[in-house]
Amino acid sequence: MIEYLNLKRINAIHGEEIQDAIRRVVESGWYIHGESVKHFEQEFSKYLGCRHCVGVANGLDALTLILRAYMELGVMCEGDEVIVPANTYIATILSITENRLKPVLVEPLIDTFQIDDTLIEQAITERTRAIMIVNLYGYPAYTDKIGEICKRYNVKLIEDCAQSHGLNLPSSGRGQGWASAYSFYPGKNLGALGDGGAVTTDDDKLAEVVRALGSYGSSQKYVFHYKGRNSRLDEIQAAVLSVKLKYLEEDNKRRRDIALYYHKNISNPEITVPSLQYCQRSVHHIFPILCSHRNELQQQLKGHGVMTMIHYPIPPHKQECYRELSGLSLPVTEKIHREELSLPCNQAMTNSEVEEVVRVLNGISNNV
């Protein structure tokens, strides 16, 4: 059987280094706000080419704290609007509504799955305060047009980078008005052994407020400037991430090589495979294909020992928790969520496994 993602195999690649890193933390006797977190924050910000990295508990907290910090800084207030792609994991939108802000959903492009930058401007109102883009599946959502819109309307740019570790340098061309949120959930390209997240930015004040908010609202022990929360990256996770960060470029190259092989060799006419440009630019946290009979295809693949996943079966505006959005007409988003199927694509896969995925896909009849 070809598993969709075998985390045991992935972690075993650098198993000795990971075990050594964990042992050093355990033996240090310091498990929160210690040297391992400081080291990782410095290394990750250096890797990305940005001024600040603030470790937090998870990716949802990273997004939520960015918005909350902007509210504390007077940039936005309850009821203000945040433009966001309609096809995303629900955490993106949860971060907006948790802060009592209003998500304004914009359709994606069918060929990249990213927000359609030609539709953003018409969604802007006098209450728009930010555009939150999502590098869904590992492909870059940012475009020069989005940057120009942010500058023209003086709105913040927030990047959900939960699926795009190593994609690009987030500070490139953005200026001061941006912030990015990362998740280090175990299945990510840069994954911890538990939950973890980070906020990255060039904005000194934003980084300061985010750090305080994630530490109960305090930047000085027992002195609280904000009504914060407990959201911290712990020492063990930071130590593991520092090990894995060294190999991120190599791991992403392997993912890209697999994606390019899929692009070149999958020939089933029932399946839409990402374009060559897509495969060259993405870091392939997820390799998505489209099929009008997606569920039947998934079952046939499973019958041949190839495991897959769906990202995601129900779009946010059709979820029960957002029933107030259910009346929206978002046909492109709904098509993606109806037809998307994710193939195995990770650095632990062997060449023979990749070839077997293609062989099985091409051998499935067109009556799926």
Side-chain angles (χ1 to χ4, degrees):
M1 182 180 70
I2 300 174
E3 297 180 70
Y4 176 73
L5 182 66
N6 188 319
L7 292 178
K8 185 176 180 179
R9 279 174 62 181
I10 286 177
N11 288 318
I13 296 172
H14 308 298
E16 288 189 15
E17 284 187 75
I18 291 171
Q19 293 286 354
D20 286 344
I22 293 171
R23 176 182 51 77
R24 286 193 296 271
V25 172
V26 172
E27 292 178 353
S28 76
W30 196 292
Y31 310 122
I32 298 291
H33 281 176
E35 292 303 314
S36 293
V37 170
K38 290 178 184 177
H39 176 74
F40 174 71
E41 289 178 341
Q42 292 168 358
E43 290 298 305
F44 198 48
S45 60
K46 180 181 178 181
Y47 171 78
L48 293 172
C50 63
R51 289 172 58 85
H52 301 284
C53 171
V54 181
V56 297
N58 54 68
L60 174 56
D61 277 6
L63 288 168
T64 303
L65 290 172
I66 290 171
L67 292 170
R68 172 71 185 283
Y70 278 136
M71 296 176 79
E72 294 289 354
L73 291 168
V75 173
M76 55 186 75
C77 60
E78 289 187 15
D80 283 341
E81 296 173 354
V82 178
I83 291 174
V84 65
N87 66 313
T88 184
Y89 184 58
I90 201 167
T92 316
I93 298 173
L94 286 171
S95 71
I96 299 170
T97 56
E98 183 173 335
N99 282 291
R100 297 194 174 113
L101 299 166
K102 180 182 177 182
V104 177
L105 277 57
V106 172
E107 284 270 63
L109 293 163
I110 191 67
D111 57 339
T112 66
F113 309 101
Q114 310 307 314
I115 192 168
D116 187 341
D117 61 9
T118 67
L119 302 179
I120 292 176
E121 199 161 4
Q122 67 193 50
I124 292 178
T125 73
E126 61 182 14
R127 297 301 300 271
T128 304
R129 297 293 179 266
I131 299 172
M132 184 180 286
I133 58 177
V134 182
N135 301 319
L136 195 70
Y137 306 153
Y139 188 86
Y142 180 82
T143 65
D144 290 340
K145 184 178 180 66
I146 292 174
E148 292 166 4
I149 291 172
C150 289
K151 292 174 183 176
R152 186 182 317 136
Y153 291 92
N154 192 30
V155 298
K156 299 297 184 183
L157 175 66
I158 302 170
E159 291 183 278
D160 183 341
C161 297
Q163 299 183 1
S164 59
H165 310 79
L167 179 64
N168 55 17
L169 302 181
S171 59
S172 176
R174 274 98 161 140
Q176 285 287 313
W178 68 272
S180 297
Y182 286 86
S183 166
F184 303 123
Y185 182 78
K188 304 298 186 184
N189 290 35
L190 181 61
L193 299 186
D195 276 320
V199 172
T200 61
T201 183
D202 282 345
D203 188 325
D204 299 343
K205 188 61 177 176
L206 180 71
E208 177 186 325
V209 176
V210 167
R211 190 176 294 280
L213 287 170
S215 186
Y216 300 97
S218 172
S219 54
Q220 179 183 347
K221 194 169 185 179
Y222 302 135
V223 178
F224 303 92
H225 297 291
Y226 311 102
K227 297 174 183 176
R229 64 169 66 186
N230 178 10
S231 181
R232 301 175 294 202
L233 180 65
D234 72 66
E235 288 288 289
I236 287 179
Q237 303 307 336
V240 171
L241 291 168
S242 288
V243 171
K244 290 189 170 186
L245 180 59
K246 296 186 296 183
Y247 304 100
L248 180 58
E249 291 294 314
E250 177 185 329
D251 292 344
N252 283 346
K253 182 182 183 302
R254 174 58 179 164
R255 287 172 178 263
R256 188 172 289 117
D257 288 345
I258 293 171
L260 288 168
Y261 184 87
Y262 283 159
H263 170 82
K264 181 178 180 180
N265 293 283
I266 293 174
S267 58
N268 190 319
E270 296 291 315
I271 296 167
T272 300
V273 178
S275 68
L276 177 61
Q277 181 191 43
Y278 183 101
C279 293
Q280 290 171 334
R281 295 189 66 193
S282 178
V283 292
H284 299 287
H285 171 61
I286 290 166
F287 186 87
I289 61 174
L290 297 178
C291 178
S292 59
H293 303 288
R294 184 264 312 282
N295 294 342
E296 292 89 339
L297 175 62
Q298 184 178 42
Q299 288 305 308
Q300 287 206 32
L301 287 169
K302 182 178 179 181
H304 287 86
V306 176
M307 307 307 292
T308 58
M309 289 191 68
I310 297 171
H311 295 93
Y312 301 93
I314 305 173
H317 72 287
K318 293 299 184 182
Q319 296 286 353
E320 176 64 20
C321 63
Y322 285 118
R323 50 189 174 275
E324 69 272 19
L325 302 175
S326 63
L328 293 175
S329 176
L330 298 165
V332 179
T333 292
E334 291 170 21
K335 176 180 173 65
I336 291 170
H337 287 257
R338 188 170 58 247
E339 298 186 3
E340 192 276 340
L341 187 66
S342 305
L343 300 183
C345 183
N346 63 79
Q347 65 269 29
M349 293 183 71
T350 65
N351 289 340
S352 61
E353 287 175 326
V354 176
E355 292 164 5
E356 177 67 5
V357 172
V358 172
R359 187 192 69 77
V360 171
L361 266 176
N362 289 344
I364 291 177
S365 64
N366 62 5
N367 61 0
V368 294

